[in-house]
Structure formats: structure tokens, C-alpha cells
Amino acid sequence: MHDDSADSRSRFAEEARSERPDLTLLCLLIGAVADPSLDEAGMDAAQVELDRLAGMLPYGPKTPAAWAAALAGLLGDRCGFRGSAADYRRLESSLLHEVLRRRRGLPILLSAVWTEVARRAGAPVYGVALPGHFVVGFGDPEGSGERVLADPFAGGRPLSGAEAELLAVSATGAPLDPSALRPAATLDVVQRILNNIQGWATARPEQSAVALWAVELSLLLPSHPVRLRFERAELLIQRGDFLAGAAELDAYAEAVSAVEPATAEAVRGRARAARAMLN
């Protein structure tokens, strides 16, 4: 691991554990781990671009619907930020600096652009983690006033309640849980971005290095599923690092032994098999 990557990872861990984690910075640090050419100047340039876009929004108080329309007009229409099916096949679609450059990305990264630009301009905006499709909300999520959903993947098109329901049903087969409409926490957004990257890499066995750093960044988040330890171990073994993989399997077995003793025993057997590969 080169020093720049180690520095990006330590900064990522520090920011994730701060009192108010910064979504833009965390996304850019993911980008710096993915793309060693993204240096401090490149990260600053991405922040400047978000500031520049925010400065292009019309000034003054607006209703949630007017904010949604202003963002769609600027980012969707004038700047051409949107997504297509092809974007799911590219790692760049999950990297904020690339999304700002290409103006293409996955729903969650485009939503990050929308929320970060709108927030800088003073809009009441938040991310909404619908099952299978991330969108943005405008208004007060806790109040009784107007709330508007918009779909950045479709250029910021307004989304009716029925359409949000349909998205949830098509993704999960179940009705929309009202809790899904609440503002998404920053670290939950970051975890979902890393899950997307891991999923992209897992479907491409030659990209195991990408899957490994995505899992390792997830493990730096203050709260993460213990199963990630197992996934990291399997990736290390897949990449030929049998000793480190076996050690991680033993650590995972220890973590689950109290509640899943049979699983723990099977995992310890897998660790022994990994060590045997060195003989």
C-alpha cells in the first residue's frame, strides 16, 4: 500500500468518526483511494466546482418545489448531470470527482451532487435512500409543510409519492416503508456507496483489489456489519495472502462464536485450509 493511499484511509477513518462527518470529503477520499492520481489539488478542485455550481443557483427564499425546480434546471438541464443504464457498468460512476467531471453517475452519487450543491446554496435538502434507487428530498422532513422528492438520475425530475412507492415495490417486492423517506445519515450514504463499489468489483473477479479496498474502507466506519471481516478474509485468500486471510477468519470466528458456534467452527476450518495452502 503506497503512502498516499494510507494517508487517504487514515483521513477517511478520522472524518468518519468526527462529530459531523462531511459527505463531500468522505466521497473524495474514497476517490483518492480508488484513483492515486487524485491529489489534494484535485480534491480542492472538486470542492470549488460544487461551490461554483451552488453560486449559479438563483438567490433568495424558495419553496421546496421551487428549490427542486431550480436544481433540475441548473444541474439536470443546463449542466447535463444524469444517469443511464451504462453508468452501472463503470467504477467512475461511484467516484465523486469523476461524476463531477463526466456529469454521469449512479443515483446515489448524483444525489450527493444535488444535496451538496443545494446545501451550499441554503436549500432545505436531504438524501432519501429508497430501496434500490437513491433520490433527494426538499423541505422539512419532520414538519407538516411541503416536501418534494426529485430523481437526479432522471435529471432531477419530480417524483410523486406513487412513483416512489413503485420504485420500492419493483426493488423489494414490498410496499414502501415510511422510514425510507426519512433523511439518510451521512455514514449510511457512504456505506451504501462502498457497497455499490464492492458489488461492482465482486461481479468482476479481476477487480478483487477494488473489492478489497472497498471492504477495508467499510471496516473503518464506526459501525459496520461483522460479516465484512469474513468478506475481507475471503478476498485476501483469493488474492494469495493466505496468512492474513487466515488471521482475519480466526478473528471473525471469535466474533461470532458466542451466537453462532457452528459457523465459527466452520470458519476456523476454512482458516486452517488457508494456512495449509502455504505448505
Side-chain angles (χ1 to χ4, degrees):
M1 190 197 317
H2 56 74
D3 289 342
D4 287 349
S5 174
D7 180 54
S8 297
R9 290 171 190 234
S10 63
R11 286 179 66 192
F12 179 91
E14 186 182 349
E15 185 60 33
R17 285 169 166 74
S18 66
E19 196 176 330
R20 297 187 63 182
D22 184 292
L23 179 61
T24 300
L25 180 56
L26 287 166
C27 286
L28 290 173
L29 289 167
I30 291 171
V33 174
D35 175 6
S37 72
L38 180 62
D39 57 11
E40 202 64 40
M43 291 171 64
D44 287 346
Q47 297 271 16
V48 168
E49 175 65 358
L50 291 167
D51 291 341
R52 185 186 75 84
L53 291 167
M56 293 169 69
L57 284 166
Y59 184 74
K62 283 180 271 300
T63 64
W67 272 117
L71 268 292
L74 172 64
L75 297 179
D77 297 341
R78 284 174 63 189
C79 298
F81 281 95
R82 60 186 59 245
S84 71
D87 292 307
Y88 284 90
R89 298 194 289 272
R90 302 180 66 129
L91 176 59
E92 297 97 321
S93 301
S94 290
L95 307 177
L96 180 58
H97 68 294
E98 287 287 356
V99 172
L100 286 170
R101 183 179 69 82
R102 296 177 55 241
R103 301 189 174 186
R104 291 285 183 278
L106 295 190
I108 193 167
L109 265 295
L110 290 165
S111 294
V113 172
W114 248 254
T115 56
E116 294 301 280
V117 169
R119 185 178 58 77
R120 282 164 165 77
V125 66
Y126 52 96
V128 178
L130 292 181
H133 196 83
F134 210 96
V135 298
V136 294
F138 293 90
D140 178 3
E142 308 301 334
S144 56
E146 180 193 27
R147 280 174 287 174
V148 175
L149 293 180
D151 182 3
F153 195 71
R157 186 176 68 83
L159 206 60
S160 70
E163 288 170 318
E165 183 78 35
L166 198 59
L167 278 173
V169 171
S170 63
T172 64
L176 180 64
D177 184 328
S179 69
L181 294 171
R182 287 206 282 267
T186 297
L187 294 184
D188 292 342
V189 175
V190 172
Q191 181 67 78
R192 190 156 158 170
I193 290 169
L194 290 169
N195 288 347
N196 288 342
I197 292 171
Q198 188 186 347
W200 175 89
T202 301
R204 298 162 174 80
E206 74 282 2
Q207 298 288 353
S208 63
V210 173
L212 182 60
W213 66 247
V215 168
E216 289 177 341
L217 287 181
S218 295
L219 284 165
L220 294 175
L221 296 173
S223 170
H224 54 259
V226 69
R227 185 174 168 80
L228 285 174
R229 303 283 299 266
F230 179 78
E231 291 171 12
R232 178 174 185 267
E234 290 291 291
L235 284 163
L236 288 167
I237 291 165
Q238 181 186 333
R239 293 177 56 74
D241 196 344
F242 302 118
L243 276 181
E248 188 77 324
L249 284 172
D250 283 335
Y252 174 72
E254 189 63 33
V256 300
S257 59
V259 282
E260 297 177 33
T263 299
E265 197 44 51
V267 170
R268 288 190 184 102
R270 179 89 178 91
R272 288 192 291 274
R275 288 190 178 91
M277 290 176 185
L278 287 166
N279 298 335

Short mmCIF file of all heavy atoms in Angstrom, two decimals, residues 191-216:
data_model
loop_
_atom_site.label_atom_id
_atom_site.label_comp_id
_atom_site.label_asym_id
_atom_site.label_seq_id
_atom_site.Cartn_x
_atom_site.Cartn_y
_atom_site.Cartn_z
N GLN A 191 -21.66 4.15 3.38
CA GLN A 191 -21.67 2.68 3.38
C GLN A 191 -22.34 2.14 2.12
O GLN A 191 -21.86 1.17 1.53
CB GLN A 191 -22.41 2.16 4.63
CG GLN A 191 -22.45 0.64 4.72
CD GLN A 191 -21.09 0.01 4.94
OE1 GLN A 191 -20.60 0.01 6.05
NE2 GLN A 191 -20.48 -0.51 3.89
N ARG A 192 -23.42 2.78 1.71
CA ARG A 192 -24.13 2.32 0.50
C ARG A 192 -23.26 2.52 -0.75
O ARG A 192 -23.26 1.67 -1.65
CB ARG A 192 -25.46 3.07 0.39
CG ARG A 192 -26.41 2.53 -0.66
CD ARG A 192 -27.83 2.91 -0.32
NE ARG A 192 -28.71 2.89 -1.49
CZ ARG A 192 -30.03 2.99 -1.44
NH1 ARG A 192 -30.63 3.11 -0.27
NH2 ARG A 192 -30.76 2.97 -2.52
N ILE A 193 -22.51 3.63 -0.80
CA ILE A 193 -21.59 3.85 -1.93
C ILE A 193 -20.53 2.75 -1.96
O ILE A 193 -20.22 2.18 -3.02
CB ILE A 193 -20.94 5.24 -1.83
CG1 ILE A 193 -21.98 6.33 -2.10
CG2 ILE A 193 -19.77 5.37 -2.81
CD1 ILE A 193 -21.51 7.74 -1.77
N LEU A 194 -19.96 2.44 -0.80
CA LEU A 194 -18.94 1.39 -0.73
C LEU A 194 -19.52 0.02 -1.08
O LEU A 194 -18.86 -0.80 -1.72
CB LEU A 194 -18.29 1.38 0.66
CG LEU A 194 -17.40 2.60 0.96
CD1 LEU A 194 -17.02 2.65 2.43
CD2 LEU A 194 -16.14 2.59 0.08
N ASN A 195 -20.76 -0.24 -0.66
CA ASN A 195 -21.42 -1.50 -1.04
C ASN A 195 -21.56 -1.59 -2.55
O ASN A 195 -21.37 -2.67 -3.14
CB ASN A 195 -22.82 -1.58 -0.40
CG ASN A 195 -22.78 -1.82 1.09
OD1 ASN A 195 -21.75 -2.16 1.65
ND2 ASN A 195 -23.91 -1.62 1.75
N ASN A 196 -21.92 -0.47 -3.18
CA ASN A 196 -22.04 -0.45 -4.65
C ASN A 196 -20.71 -0.77 -5.31
O ASN A 196 -20.65 -1.53 -6.29
CB ASN A 196 -22.54 0.91 -5.13
CG ASN A 196 -23.99 1.17 -4.82
OD1 ASN A 196 -24.75 0.25 -4.54
ND2 ASN A 196 -24.39 2.43 -4.84
N ILE A 197 -19.63 -0.17 -4.79
CA ILE A 197 -18.30 -0.40 -5.36
C ILE A 197 -17.90 -1.87 -5.17
O ILE A 197 -17.41 -2.52 -6.10
CB ILE A 197 -17.27 0.53 -4.71
CG1 ILE A 197 -17.54 1.98 -5.13
CG2 ILE A 197 -15.84 0.13 -5.08
CD1 ILE A 197 -16.73 3.02 -4.39
N GLN A 198 -18.16 -2.39 -3.97
CA GLN A 198 -17.83 -3.80 -3.71
C GLN A 198 -18.64 -4.71 -4.64
O GLN A 198 -18.11 -5.69 -5.18
CB GLN A 198 -18.11 -4.14 -2.24
CG GLN A 198 -17.63 -5.53 -1.85
CD GLN A 198 -18.05 -5.91 -0.44
OE1 GLN A 198 -18.50 -5.06 0.34
NE2 GLN A 198 -17.91 -7.17 -0.09
N GLY A 199 -19.92 -4.40 -4.83
CA GLY A 199 -20.76 -5.20 -5.72
C GLY A 199 -20.26 -5.16 -7.15
O GLY A 199 -20.23 -6.19 -7.84
N TRP A 200 -19.85 -3.97 -7.60
CA TRP A 200 -19.30 -3.82 -8.96
C TRP A 200 -18.07 -4.71 -9.12
O TRP A 200 -17.92 -5.43 -10.11
CB TRP A 200 -18.95 -2.35 -9.20
CG TRP A 200 -18.28 -2.09 -10.51
CD1 TRP A 200 -18.90 -1.81 -11.71
CD2 TRP A 200 -16.87 -2.10 -10.78
NE1 TRP A 200 -17.95 -1.64 -12.69
CE2 TRP A 200 -16.70 -1.81 -12.16
CE3 TRP A 200 -15.74 -2.31 -10.00
CZ2 TRP A 200 -15.44 -1.74 -12.76
CZ3 TRP A 200 -14.48 -2.25 -10.59
CH2 TRP A 200 -14.34 -1.97 -11.95
N ALA A 201 -17.17 -4.66 -8.12
CA ALA A 201 -15.92 -5.41 -8.22
C ALA A 201 -16.14 -6.91 -8.07
O ALA A 201 -15.46 -7.71 -8.74
CB ALA A 201 -14.95 -4.90 -7.15
N THR A 202 -17.07 -7.30 -7.22
CA THR A 202 -17.33 -8.73 -6.99
C THR A 202 -17.82 -9.41 -8.28
O THR A 202 -17.52 -10.58 -8.53
CB THR A 202 -18.35 -8.91 -5.85
OG1 THR A 202 -17.83 -8.30 -4.67
CG2 THR A 202 -18.62 -10.38 -5.57
N ALA A 203 -18.53 -8.66 -9.09
CA ALA A 203 -19.02 -9.21 -10.36
C ALA A 203 -17.90 -9.32 -11.39
O ALA A 203 -18.11 -9.88 -12.48
CB ALA A 203 -20.14 -8.33 -10.91
N ARG A 204 -16.72 -8.80 -11.07
CA ARG A 204 -15.57 -8.81 -11.98
C ARG A 204 -14.36 -9.35 -11.21
O ARG A 204 -13.63 -8.58 -10.60
CB ARG A 204 -15.29 -7.38 -12.48
CG ARG A 204 -16.44 -6.80 -13.28
CD ARG A 204 -16.36 -5.28 -13.40
NE ARG A 204 -17.39 -4.76 -14.29
CZ ARG A 204 -18.66 -4.56 -13.92
NH1 ARG A 204 -19.03 -4.82 -12.68
NH2 ARG A 204 -19.54 -4.09 -14.78
N PRO A 205 -14.15 -10.67 -11.23
CA PRO A 205 -13.11 -11.28 -10.39
C PRO A 205 -11.73 -10.64 -10.56
O PRO A 205 -10.93 -10.62 -9.62
CB PRO A 205 -13.10 -12.74 -10.84
CG PRO A 205 -14.49 -12.98 -11.34
CD PRO A 205 -14.93 -11.68 -11.96
N GLU A 206 -11.47 -10.07 -11.73
CA GLU A 206 -10.16 -9.44 -11.95
C GLU A 206 -10.02 -8.13 -11.17
O GLU A 206 -8.94 -7.54 -11.10
CB GLU A 206 -9.93 -9.18 -13.46
CG GLU A 206 -10.72 -8.04 -14.08
CD GLU A 206 -12.19 -8.35 -14.38
OE1 GLU A 206 -12.64 -9.49 -14.08
OE2 GLU A 206 -12.88 -7.47 -14.92
N GLN A 207 -11.13 -7.66 -10.57
CA GLN A 207 -11.12 -6.40 -9.81
C GLN A 207 -11.12 -6.66 -8.29
O GLN A 207 -11.64 -5.86 -7.52
CB GLN A 207 -12.34 -5.55 -10.19
CG GLN A 207 -12.37 -5.12 -11.64
CD GLN A 207 -11.34 -4.07 -11.97
OE1 GLN A 207 -10.67 -3.55 -11.07
NE2 GLN A 207 -11.22 -3.73 -13.24
N SER A 208 -10.50 -7.78 -7.87
CA SER A 208 -10.53 -8.11 -6.44
C SER A 208 -9.83 -7.05 -5.60
O SER A 208 -10.17 -6.85 -4.43
CB SER A 208 -9.91 -9.49 -6.19
OG SER A 208 -8.54 -9.49 -6.56
N ALA A 209 -8.85 -6.34 -6.17
CA ALA A 209 -8.17 -5.28 -5.41
C ALA A 209 -9.16 -4.17 -5.05
O ALA A 209 -9.10 -3.60 -3.96
CB ALA A 209 -7.00 -4.72 -6.21
N VAL A 210 -10.06 -3.86 -5.96
CA VAL A 210 -11.08 -2.83 -5.71
C VAL A 210 -12.05 -3.31 -4.63
O VAL A 210 -12.38 -2.56 -3.69
CB VAL A 210 -11.84 -2.48 -7.01
CG1 VAL A 210 -13.01 -1.55 -6.72
CG2 VAL A 210 -10.89 -1.84 -8.01
N ALA A 211 -12.48 -4.57 -4.73
CA ALA A 211 -13.38 -5.12 -3.71
C ALA A 211 -12.72 -5.06 -2.34
O ALA A 211 -13.36 -4.72 -1.33
CB ALA A 211 -13.76 -6.56 -4.06
N LEU A 212 -11.41 -5.34 -2.30
CA LEU A 212 -10.70 -5.36 -1.01
C LEU A 212 -10.65 -3.97 -0.38
O LEU A 212 -10.96 -3.81 0.80
CB LEU A 212 -9.29 -5.92 -1.21
CG LEU A 212 -8.44 -6.04 0.06
CD1 LEU A 212 -9.09 -6.96 1.08
CD2 LEU A 212 -7.03 -6.55 -0.28
N TRP A 213 -10.29 -2.94 -1.16
CA TRP A 213 -10.22 -1.60 -0.52
C TRP A 213 -11.60 -1.09 -0.16
O TRP A 213 -11.76 -0.36 0.82
CB TRP A 213 -9.38 -0.60 -1.30
CG TRP A 213 -9.82 -0.12 -2.65
CD1 TRP A 213 -9.21 -0.38 -3.85
CD2 TRP A 213 -10.92 0.76 -2.97
NE1 TRP A 213 -9.87 0.26 -4.88
CE2 TRP A 213 -10.91 0.98 -4.36
CE3 TRP A 213 -11.91 1.39 -2.21
CZ2 TRP A 213 -11.86 1.78 -5.02
CZ3 TRP A 213 -12.86 2.19 -2.85
CH2 TRP A 213 -12.82 2.37 -4.24
N ALA A 214 -12.64 -1.49 -0.93
CA ALA A 214 -14.00 -1.06 -0.57
C ALA A 214 -14.40 -1.67 0.78
O ALA A 214 -14.98 -0.98 1.63
CB ALA A 214 -14.98 -1.46 -1.66
N VAL A 215 -14.09 -2.94 0.98
CA VAL A 215 -14.39 -3.60 2.25
C VAL A 215 -13.57 -2.97 3.38
O VAL A 215 -14.07 -2.71 4.48
CB VAL A 215 -14.10 -5.12 2.17
CG1 VAL A 215 -14.12 -5.76 3.55
CG2 VAL A 215 -15.14 -5.79 1.27
N GLU A 216 -12.29 -2.70 3.10
CA GLU A 216 -11.43 -2.14 4.14
C GLU A 216 -11.87 -0.74 4.55
O GLU A 216 -11.79 -0.38 5.74
CB GLU A 216 -9.97 -2.16 3.68
CG GLU A 216 -9.43 -3.59 3.64
CD GLU A 216 -8.02 -3.73 3.14
OE1 GLU A 216 -7.51 -2.80 2.47
OE2 GLU A 216 -7.41 -4.79 3.39
#
